[in-house]
Amino acid sequence: MTWTLPDPMLTTPVARPDLPPGAAGEPKWDGYRAQLARYADGRVLLRSRQGTDMTAAFPEIADAALAQLPADTGVDGELVVWEGERLAFERLQQRLARRRGAGALAAARAWPAHLVVFDVVRLKGADLTSWPYARRRAALKTLFADTPLTAPFTLCPSTTDPATARDWLTWTSAGLEGLCFKRLTDPYRAGTRAWGKYKLRVTTEAIVGAVTGTPAAPRTLLLGRYDDTGRLRYVGRTVALARTAAAALADALAPAVGEHPWAGRTFTTGWGSRDVLEAVLVEPQLVVEVAVDVARDGAGRWRHPVRLHRVRAEMHPMQVPEFGGRD
């Protein structure tokens, strides 16, 4: 018998981190959503949220599935790589770039992956997708305890205690991005907005080093911070500016004159992208406060676009937090 895991669920953002009544909270990890199946005939499939087959790129996960998962069983989770005391999303990307053969095996030794499992959708041939979350969670805990499942499998924490869920929001330095909320009575619904998601955001400062558009009519801001050697390092780019914000910035931005620390370098449209932006350098004197989420690469660059909060005209660029440091 063969079977297919349901399509992954989407999530709906929520404005507050409060744990709703009748729901469980789970940490939201900085990794790849992944579904792992061990079929009855011995085949293993590890696939991404978009349906990409990642099995060959993560041989340690496939081997562990054969060794530990019962036949005809499928689980849902987050694929992560630890580096030191933090989750390293960039290592996951490097793992996927080495998809097969000796390269995949070498990458697995250098940057071993774990699967943080938060759901079980099939167990020993039984379809559990119609079961409520609370019952599936109990089955998942039993699977980990009785099989038992060990590394590279990790049981994702789950709680109905608001204080515990709030405490998890202090794990940002380790790679926690926020919380997911799941109703205890909900079945596993494929392709529906069945979860609530609270994503951590903080405000911090950065220096405007370039813009898209023009200094007189900026569309987005390219931001930097000085490192401990005095070099201005690129940290990220804002989302498109509101018309009123762009107009207010026009008076504060000055085109670059003379030597600029970013002269000759190029910028891409986003973290991990190769598409080059048409950027215009400006004098790196203006400090702005921006709202950012906690997803960063190993150097401290923001992986996702940031939102302009306000101009900090009273701040000197050297008062901005150092590149790679804590905000």
Side-chain angles (χ1 to χ4, degrees):
M1 175 181 177
T2 60
W3 53 276
T4 302
L5 285 171
D7 290 334
M9 291 182 289
L10 303 175
T11 53
T12 302
V14 296
R16 294 170 56 88
D18 303 325
L19 185 60
E26 295 176 356
K28 183 183 183 303
W29 306 99
D30 189 11
Y32 282 151
R33 176 80 179 277
Q35 298 174 318
L36 176 65
R38 183 192 174 187
Y39 293 93
D41 60 6
R43 290 181 298 119
V44 171
L45 173 64
L46 178 70
R47 72 176 189 179
S48 72
R49 181 170 56 187
Q50 292 78 22
T52 301
D53 185 347
M54 303 187 294
T55 314
F58 296 93
E60 72 275 38
I61 302 296
D63 290 346
L66 284 173
Q68 298 187 42
L69 282 183
D72 209 1
T73 292
V75 296
D76 200 351
E78 194 84 3
L79 197 63
V80 300
V81 169
W82 285 96
E83 186 171 48
E85 297 182 350
R86 59 175 286 272
L87 295 176
F89 185 85
E90 63 273 19
R91 298 304 186 199
L92 273 176
Q93 288 197 315
Q94 290 169 325
R95 289 289 309 269
L96 272 181
R98 305 178 182 186
R99 285 185 174 274
R100 299 185 180 278
L105 291 172
R109 289 190 293 269
W111 308 308
H114 288 75
L115 185 66
V116 184
V117 183
F118 50 70
D119 214 333
V120 55
V121 296
R122 193 171 182 90
L123 183 61
K124 299 178 182 178
D127 182 358
L128 310 190
T129 56
S130 64
W131 289 14
Y133 168 87
R135 188 180 175 190
R136 296 196 315 279
R137 177 69 190 183
L140 180 61
K141 291 174 67 176
T142 299
L143 175 64
F144 265 83
D146 291 354
T147 304
L149 296 185
T150 59
F153 300 121
T154 302
L155 178 63
C156 183
S158 175
T159 188
T160 56
D161 176 39
T164 299
R166 285 193 297 270
D167 184 61
W168 288 342
L169 294 176
T170 65
W171 296 2
T172 55
S173 62
L176 181 75
E177 289 190 315
L179 298 172
C180 290
F181 303 129
K182 303 176 182 181
R183 287 185 290 271
L184 299 175
T185 57
D186 273 359
Y188 186 96
R189 293 196 181 107
T192 63
R193 296 183 179 274
W195 300 354
K197 179 177 68 175
Y198 174 76
K199 199 164 188 178
L200 280 166
R201 296 190 74 86
V202 298
T203 58
T204 188
E205 293 80 31
I207 304 158
V208 183
V211 300
T212 61
T214 67
R219 291 196 292 268
T220 66
L221 308 178
L222 281 67
L223 307 172
R225 285 177 167 179
Y226 286 102
D227 63 18
D228 57 4
T229 68
R231 178 186 172 195
L232 185 64
R233 305 285 296 275
Y234 177 64
V235 291
R237 182 166 70 104
T238 68
V239 298
L241 300 172
R243 185 175 301 175
T244 53
L249 283 164
D251 293 333
L253 294 171
V257 177
E259 190 172 350
H260 190 285
W262 289 348
R265 73 155 293 171
T266 58
F267 303 90
T268 58
T269 56
W271 191 89
S273 171
R274 295 183 179 180
D275 296 329
V276 176
L277 281 172
E278 293 186 11
V280 177
L281 300 180
V282 298
E283 286 295 305
Q285 297 297 323
L286 181 65
V287 176
V288 292
E289 185 176 346
V290 291
V292 302
D293 66 29
V294 296
R296 303 187 181 191
D297 65 15
R301 292 179 291 258
W302 300 311
R303 289 213 326 269
H304 302 148
V306 304
R307 297 182 182 278
L308 177 67
H309 186 58
R310 57 176 173 161
V311 173
R312 295 297 303 270
E314 81 285 3
M315 285 188 68
H316 189 275
M318 299 310 295
Q319 294 177 292
V320 169
E322 189 175 276
F323 177 82
R326 298 285 182 87
D327 292 318

